[in-house]
Amino acid sequence: MSIWHAAPAEAAAYTRDAVSAHPGRFLLGLGTSHAVLVEGDGTAYRKPYSKMVACAASAGPTTTSSAAAATASSTP
C-alpha cells in the first residue's frame, strides 16, 4: 500500500479487517512508491523515509503487531 495514497488510520482499519477475515494469512506491505506516480496525483514527493516513519508510528500497534504475528506464524 502506498503511504502517499492511504492515511495511516485507513491502512490500520484495512489491516484489522483483513487480519480478522484471514487470520494468519495477511501481511501488509507499505511502500514509498515513485515520485512520478505520487506527483502525478498532485502530491509533493518529499522526504519519503520521514513520511514512512511518520506513517508507521501513527498507524499504531495494530499494523505492527499484525505484521509481527504474520511473520512469526510463517517462520518454520
Side-chain angles (χ1 to χ4, degrees):
M1 178 178 289
S2 171
I3 61 171
W4 303 98
H5 299 114
E10 182 183 6
Y14 177 80
T15 300
R16 279 192 301 274
D17 291 347
V19 167
S20 68
H22 307 284
R25 296 179 51 208
F26 178 79
L27 179 62
L28 176 67
L30 296 176
T32 58
S33 191
H34 299 281
V36 74
L37 296 173
V38 174
E39 291 175 344
D41 289 342
T43 303
Y45 188 83
R46 293 200 171 85
K47 298 188 176 187
Y49 177 79
S50 297
K51 171 87 171 170
M52 176 65 82
V53 170
C55 284
S58 64
T62 301
T63 55
T64 305
S65 61
S66 299
T71 302
S73 68
S74 67
T75 305

